[in-house]
């Protein structure tokens, strides 16, 4: 076998895929790209549905991912505030200069023009620190066993879920959802729904009904299949299972004779 390079990781709230009639709290999507010499159509995408932990416990590995998104969110928010401060300062200066600093104009001026120098210095230092943190990268395994909790999946050939929605994606929907806390879900929602760039422009196109998830689409006669232990097992399990392939108590569920 060979390993496909990961192109990027995306998170949608709520889930775009439904499983067994249920929409999940969020969905984590790993997009990869073919790198074989021979040209092959399609880009594999692994999807993991996020469910709330029964004990509402945080998922440490997913928390690391959220923290990286939070760094960019914080840096962009500070960049936006820096631009607003500059605009207020420029507006106050223009009013004072062009209209002679009348009483009404002085009252309308932002107090930011009268800030002590150390306040602006502290703000710029904090902005610089946030910028540096946003540029720091840590090694992180997107396939960690607490995130991708199963080898088995539903599969179908479909499309990107964002414009232009081109149909070249080979989707793999992992059968076992990953577990997160309500706190982590709330943090992801805030990052996705309330993010602004350095120019204070909102980047989210979420709706109150669907969040940032594409509405559920019809299957349109696509072939949907399920890969289970009857189809393949992981390298770690081969010696343990041998020819059984599935756990003994589950053999009859997957097409094997339980009596043999």
């Amino acid at each position: 076998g060979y390993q496909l390079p990961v192109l990027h990781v995306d998170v949608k709230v709520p889930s775009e895929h439904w499983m067994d009639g249920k929409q999940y709290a969020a969905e984590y999507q790993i997009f990869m790209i073919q790198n074989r010499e021979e040209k092959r159509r399609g880009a594999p995408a692994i999807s993991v549905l996020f469910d709330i932990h029964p004990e509402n416990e945080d998922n440490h590995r997913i928390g690391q991912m959220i923290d990286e998104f939070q760094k960019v969110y914080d840096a962009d928010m500070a960049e936006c505030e820096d631009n607003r401060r500059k605009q207020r300062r420029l507006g106050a200066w223009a009013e004072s200069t062009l209209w002679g600093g009348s009483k009404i104009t002085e009252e309308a001026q932002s107090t930011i023009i009268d800030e002590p120098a150390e306040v602006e210095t502290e703000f710029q230092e904090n902005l610089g620190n946030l910028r540096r943190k946003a540029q720091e990268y840590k090694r992180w395994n997107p396939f960690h066993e607490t995130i991708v909790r199963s080898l088995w999946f539903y599969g179908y050939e479909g499309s990107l879920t964002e414009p232009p929605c081109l149909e070249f994606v080979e989707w793999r929907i992992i059968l076992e959802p990953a577990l997160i806390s309500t706190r982590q879900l709330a943090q992801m929602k805030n990052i996705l729904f309330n993010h602004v760039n350095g120019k204070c422009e909102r980047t989210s196109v979420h709706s109150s009904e669907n969040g940032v998830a594409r509405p559920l689409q019809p299957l349109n006669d696509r072939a949907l299949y399920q890969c289970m232990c009857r189809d393949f097992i992981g390298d770690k399990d081969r010696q343990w299972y041998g020819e059984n392939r599935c756990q003994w108590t589950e053999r009859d569920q997957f097409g094997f004779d339980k009596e043999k």
Side-chain angles (χ1 to χ4, degrees), residues 34-188:
Q34 298 281 3
N35 65 346
R36 283 184 168 180
E37 293 182 0
E38 61 268 23
K39 295 181 180 179
R40 292 190 62 190
R41 182 182 180 276
I46 296 176
S47 171
V48 179
L49 303 173
F50 283 0
D51 206 357
I52 301 301
H53 193 286
E55 303 299 327
N56 204 22
E57 296 178 0
D58 284 348
N59 184 310
H60 175 66
R61 293 291 177 174
I62 293 174
Q64 291 177 326
M65 174 192 69
I66 298 174
D67 288 344
E68 294 303 308
F69 290 148
Q70 187 70 54
K71 289 179 184 179
V72 176
Y73 177 92
D74 292 342
D76 287 345
M77 290 292 283
E79 199 81 50
C80 167
E81 178 60 23
D82 186 44
N83 279 324
R84 285 174 174 165
R85 291 167 70 90
K86 290 176 181 176
Q87 291 170 6
R88 289 197 297 266
R89 188 179 292 108
L90 179 61
W93 175 84
E95 288 182 3
S96 177
T97 302
L98 298 177
W99 286 280
S102 66
K103 182 177 180 181
I104 295 177
T105 302
E106 290 171 358
E107 291 175 352
Q109 288 178 3
S110 169
T111 56
I112 196 171
I113 201 169
D114 300 319
E115 277 184 349
E118 56 267 23
V119 174
E120 176 64 13
T121 299
E122 182 180 355
F123 176 83
Q124 291 299 327
E125 288 178 352
N126 182 57
L127 175 59
N129 289 333
L130 291 172
R131 284 170 174 165
R132 283 190 291 274
K133 286 182 179 179
Q135 294 300 317
E136 294 173 355
Y137 294 98
K138 296 180 180 179
R139 294 181 65 86
W140 184 75
N141 179 12
F143 301 100
H144 192 270
E145 60 186 9
T146 61
I147 304 176
V148 183
R149 300 173 65 200
S150 174
L151 292 173
W152 303 311
F153 56 85
Y154 288 110
Y156 71 96
E157 292 186 5
S159 69
L160 295 171
T161 60
E162 298 175 0
C165 301
L166 298 175
E167 294 196 7
F168 65 92
V169 183
E170 298 176 7
W171 284 101
R172 307 288 186 266
I173 317 302
I174 301 300
L175 295 182
E176 188 74 19
L179 300 176
I180 61 173
S181 67
T182 54
R183 183 195 68 80
Q184 290 178 314
L185 177 61
Q187 186 179 4
M188 287 191 291

Side-chain angles (χ1 to χ4, degrees), residues 152 175 226-231 244-258:
W152 303 311
L175 295 182
Q226 183 180 27
C227 281
M228 294 292 295
C229 55
R230 65 174 180 264
D231 303 302
N244 291 329
R245 300 183 71 82
C246 296
Q247 294 185 34
W248 189 262
T249 56
E250 301 174 340
R251 283 171 58 78
D252 57 338
Q253 299 179 37
F254 303 122
F256 293 101
D257 187 348
K258 193 172 182 179

Side-chain angles (χ1 to χ4, degrees), residues 202-220:
R202 297 184 68 87
T203 60
S204 175
V205 292
H206 72 280
S207 68
S208 57
E209 296 83 9
N210 297 312
V212 294
R214 183 187 186 187
L216 193 64
Q217 302 295 304
L219 196 57
N220 289 332

